[in-house]
Amino acid sequence: MALPPQLKDALIAVDGRIATLTLNRDDVRNELTGTCLVDDIVRTAEWINSDESISVLILTGAGQAFSAGGNVKHMLQREGTFGGTVYAVQQKYRAGIQRVALALHQLEVPSIAAVNGAAIGAGFDLACLCDLRIAAAGARMGETFVNLGIIPGDGGVWLLQRVVGYQRAAELSFTGRVFDADEALTMGLVLSVTKPAHLMSTANELALKIAEKPPQALRLTKRLMKLAQRQELPDFLELCAVFQGVCHNTGDHLEAVAAFLEKRPPKFQGS
């Protein structure tokens, strides 16, 4: 395993095949636009893609919030990401928050958002970028951009309708309302709601179930999940055939079959 990247505003921990990234700027509710968290998230995703010893990423926040998204005071003062001409702002979004959307969309392993607290605006979209979401009771969420007279510049409406469907995504995006973890569960946005003290153990339990699977097959399945969103079925089936040929030629496939027939736990080598 290659050493994890050096991060400035986030913490990274590795336990077996599970990496946990904790946004560590509770002083500003883990905002994304006025910190180094964008760079930290992108570096982590790039590291995981290049290191096949990692099979799952858990993303969470330290302190009271998962992420409060953008800095509203900076918006008022037109500072940082929000200052300059139309072209300047466009470039700042491309070089900033949109890099997170691309990095997590291209992440090659399953990701779990452990939503420990408020996930608002871009922070909410950050949770939606993950494959799976678990929320702590009391966590509040919202696609709130319209309340501030802006749009989800990080691609939020593209993400949200793929998570909850067009009609619910439209309602949340047009109203900008904030809702709680229980409603998020009802609409299928999160898998489960747990007591705050049990959030990380619940996320780790799910991550362990995923991480025990054959690493190559897991990454190829994640790739297919993403490609299925934009390919027509005939082209997709051709790719599935190729990926299946790869899997049938791995040692882990033979080990999985042997373990199944011998009724024993498999021992995967990632090859």
Side-chain angles (χ1 to χ4, degrees):
M1 181 183 75
L3 290 175
Q6 294 294 313
L7 307 180
K8 294 182 179 179
D9 285 343
L11 304 174
I12 191 164
V14 178
D15 183 8
R17 302 190 70 86
I18 302 169
T20 300
L21 180 67
T22 304
L23 310 183
N24 196 36
R25 287 298 305 273
D26 184 38
D27 58 313
V28 289
R29 296 172 59 81
N30 297 320
E31 70 174 54
L32 299 174
T33 58
T35 65
C36 295
L37 287 172
V38 166
D39 288 339
D40 288 349
I41 295 168
V42 172
R43 287 194 188 104
T44 299
E46 291 173 347
W47 164 66
I48 290 173
N49 285 351
S50 68
D51 191 334
E52 295 195 357
S53 69
I54 302 299
S55 288
V56 187
L57 171 67
I58 298 174
L59 179 60
T60 193
Q64 298 298 308
F66 177 75
S67 175
N71 187 308
V72 179
K73 292 181 180 178
H74 288 176
M75 294 181 194
L76 178 63
Q77 298 160 358
R78 300 198 66 201
E79 293 181 0
T81 299
F82 315 111
T85 65
V86 171
Y87 180 78
V89 172
Q90 176 198 23
Q91 293 300 101
K92 289 175 184 178
Y93 268 80
R94 293 178 65 198
I97 192 70
Q98 290 185 352
R99 291 170 55 225
V100 171
L102 291 172
L104 290 182
H105 182 66
Q106 294 165 0
L107 183 67
E108 295 184 1
V109 304
S111 54
I112 301 169
V115 184
N116 56 296
I120 302 297
F124 175 64
D125 292 342
L126 180 63
C128 289
L129 279 161
C130 294
D131 299 297
L132 306 164
R133 286 160 293 281
I134 297 170
R140 295 180 65 77
M141 309 169 208
E143 186 80 339
T144 56
F145 298 88
V146 72
N147 298 339
L148 300 174
I150 55 177
I151 56 92
D154 58 354
V157 293
W158 188 93
L159 299 165
L160 188 54
Q161 62 186 286
R162 284 164 168 77
V163 176
V164 296
Y166 180 87
Q167 180 170 249
R168 178 61 71 188
E171 184 263 327
L172 295 176
S173 301
F174 297 159
T175 66
R177 68 182 180 88
V178 175
F179 52 94
D180 62 19
D182 289 334
E183 185 177 354
L185 179 63
T186 300
M187 69 176 72
L189 201 146
V190 300
L191 278 176
S192 63
V193 177
T194 184
K195 294 180 180 179
H198 299 162
L199 177 65
M200 292 312 296
S201 62
T202 302
N204 274 286
E205 182 180 352
L206 177 58
L208 282 168
K209 290 178 181 178
I210 297 170
E212 68 184 8
K213 303 305 179 185
Q216 288 184 341
L218 192 62
R219 288 191 176 223
L220 289 174
T221 301
K222 170 67 182 281
R223 199 176 301 174
L224 286 174
M225 291 287 291
K226 291 297 185 181
L227 288 168
Q229 295 177 338
R230 61 180 187 269
Q231 283 192 331
E232 295 296 329
L233 182 59
D235 296 329
F236 184 72
L237 288 174
E238 285 294 326
L239 190 59
C240 287
V242 174
F243 281 12
Q244 194 73 301
V246 172
C247 289
H248 278 296
N249 282 276
T250 63
D252 279 349
H253 163 62
L254 297 178
E255 168 62 13
V257 172
F260 176 82
L261 293 174
E262 296 167 13
K263 296 180 170 43
R264 61 170 175 81
K267 297 179 180 178
F268 298 124
Q269 303 297 320
S271 62

